[in-house]
Amino acid sequence: MQIDLSGKVALVTGGNSGLGEGIARGLAASGAKVAVNYVTHPETAEALVGSLKAKGGQAVAVLADVSDPAAVAAMFGQVDQQLGPVDILVNNAGIDGGRQLAWESDIGSWQRVISINLVGPYLCAREALQRMVGRKSGVIVNITSVHERIAWSGYSAYTASKAGVSMLTQTLAQEAAPYGVRVVAVAPGAIRTPINQNVWSDPAGLKDLLTKIPLGRIGEVEDIAQMVVFLASDQASYVTATTVYVDGGMTDYPDFSHGG
Ligand code: BGC
């Protein structure tokens, strides 16, 4: 299947590392012009932009803290000017906030996870939809997690944020469908990125992790990027208001392959 996104403008939040970088590369490889959002490490965003341009693509790095409404509005204005109105928004930026049992947790850290992971996608989707609805075209892909569905002790802010983005996805999809705009979510399982490096780089952590993955391997960034590129394309023109799990079967509860 040949996916052609040429002429499309894509914005990837948190595009300068991990899943975001892979998604930005995948979209560019299919011909999209890509805006790489970042909030820290401008040098990695610029390096990625340089590498996309070296391959003949069009790309820009755009700074914004996605939890800041004014910064998000300014970023969309910048993309309008430099590449054109956004056709594809990938809400990828996110943090896990670190492990804290709720009763011991710091309120500020809890709220920060919600601000970045849930308020951020809302703010970016709001700006994107303002541009997409009038043009009757556009796709928003929200990166959630298996933890939109699987509880995770110590990560109540993270799981709540991801479950929230799942319902945000479905509600925005309902609002936008009459205008030909699709809103979908991709839920990655355990993917080899910096966010969980402490687990997969530790032999005991990796062994435990693999017991949770029926396909018996940790996911790679390309596993997610390929799905996002497909969902952003017209080949997926009948897919909206749903979450696609890309998790090696993690949500199939492998512990139930025995006993029960
Ligand atoms: C988290 C990873 C974790 C994975 C599976 C993701 O949402 O960011 O740290 O390995 O879920 O539990």
Side-chain angles (χ1 to χ4, degrees), residues 96 144-147 152 158 162 188-191 195-196 199 209 250:
D96 65 18
T144 61
S145 163
V146 288
H147 297 298
W152 195 13
Y158 185 75
K162 295 300 185 177
I191 313 298
I195 208 173
N196 54 4
V199 179
L209 186 58
M250 197 175 234

Side-chain angles (χ1 to χ4, degrees), residues 188-205:
I191 313 298
R192 195 188 308 276
T193 70
I195 208 173
N196 54 4
Q197 186 164 4
N198 60 328
V199 179
W200 53 257
S201 61
D202 163 55

Side-chain angles (χ1 to χ4, degrees), residues 30-147:
S30 293
K33 301 174 205 171
V34 182
V36 176
N37 158 260
Y38 67 97
V39 66
T40 55
H41 297 293
E43 70 288 355
T44 58
E46 290 300 345
L48 174 58
V49 164
S51 129
L52 299 182
K53 283 184 174 167
K55 290 181 180 144
Q58 250 182 287
V60 292
V62 283
L63 169 68
D65 173 347
V66 295
S67 66
D68 175 347
V72 168
M75 170 174 70
F76 273 79
Q78 204 182 330
V79 177
D80 285 341
Q81 284 184 358
Q82 297 189 8
L83 299 179
V86 167
D87 300 292
I88 298 164
L89 166 66
V90 183
N91 274 317
N92 163 80
I95 59 169
D96 65 18
R99 185 172 156 76
Q100 295 183 330
L101 295 172
W103 59 90
E104 296 165 354
S105 63
D106 167 66
I107 296 171
S109 317
W110 207 95
Q111 287 178 327
R112 185 161 177 265
V113 173
I114 299 293
S115 296
I116 294 171
N117 293 12
L118 177 57
V119 179
Y122 154 71
L123 293 173
C124 292
R126 181 175 173 278
E127 291 290 334
L129 288 169
Q130 285 170 3
R131 289 155 174 84
M132 294 172 175
V133 161
R135 294 160 59 230
K136 294 203 179 255
S137 163
V139 186
I140 298 176
V141 182
N142 293 324
I143 305 301
T144 61
S145 163
V146 288
H147 297 298

Side-chain angles (χ1 to χ4, degrees), residues 129 132-133 136-140 168-184 237-242:
L129 288 169
M132 294 172 175
V133 161
K136 294 203 179 255
S137 163
V139 186
I140 298 176
L168 178 70
T169 301
Q170 294 171 60
T171 301
L172 298 185
Q174 200 179 76
E175 294 179 2
Y179 302 93
V181 175
R182 296 184 295 112
V183 187
V184 294
S237 62
Y238 206 52
V239 184
T240 195
T242 194

Side-chain angles (χ1 to χ4, degrees), residues 149-161:
R149 196 159 114 193
I150 303 178
W152 195 13
S153 172
Y155 290 91
S156 58
Y158 185 75
T159 55
S161 74

